[in-house]
Amino acid sequence: MNKSDATPWRLYILRTARGVLYTGITNDVARRFAQHQAGKGAKALRGKGPLELLFHCEAGDRSSASKLEYQVKQLKRHDKIRLVAHQPVSLSLWLSALKNG
């Protein structure tokens, strides 16, 4: 078992200097945020700083995290802002409630 198998994955949302929201997953939020701030990692964030970490939560294993990331990326901006404002304990339950009205 390697380190990424043992460490739970997390979903995170960042905001760029221009207010664009970026969603990603990692097993080390602090490390990944530092990479983004340094212009390494996602090309979509290069030169877009300073960045602000708005939200992060546990997302299970790599597969579950990828599925949650996809679901969050499909949300409209106002729903992502609601997600950040609510900071739900369970992202899966929050997404399910949002979907079901």
Side-chain angles (χ1 to χ4, degrees):
M1 180 185 292
N2 63 34
K3 182 182 184 271
S4 65
D5 291 335
T7 307
W9 283 77
R10 300 188 69 82
L11 177 133
Y12 62 91
I13 299 176
L14 305 176
R15 181 169 47 210
T16 68
R18 292 183 142 205
V20 174
L21 300 177
Y22 175 86
T23 303
I25 58 171
T26 184
N27 55 10
D28 185 339
V29 174
R31 174 189 52 79
R32 191 69 175 141
F33 183 69
Q35 286 175 332
H36 288 314
Q37 285 281 52
K40 298 178 172 124
K43 289 181 185 178
L45 293 175
R46 291 185 190 157
K48 305 281 186 348
L51 304 173
E52 183 182 0
L53 179 63
L54 299 179
F55 175 80
H56 64 92
C57 67
E58 222 174 279
D61 62 13
R62 175 81 165 90
S63 175
S64 298
S66 292
K67 290 172 185 162
L68 283 174
E69 178 187 26
Y70 177 80
Q71 288 179 284
V72 171
K73 285 183 173 185
Q74 299 308 304
L75 296 176
K76 297 197 181 307
R77 179 180 171 78
H78 69 270
D79 287 329
K80 290 180 189 176
I81 291 169
R82 283 176 51 199
L83 168 61
V84 168
H86 283 96
Q87 299 279 321
V89 174
S90 170
L91 179 56
S92 297
L93 289 175
W94 188 88
L95 288 168
S96 179
L98 182 68
K99 186 173 131 183
N100 295 325

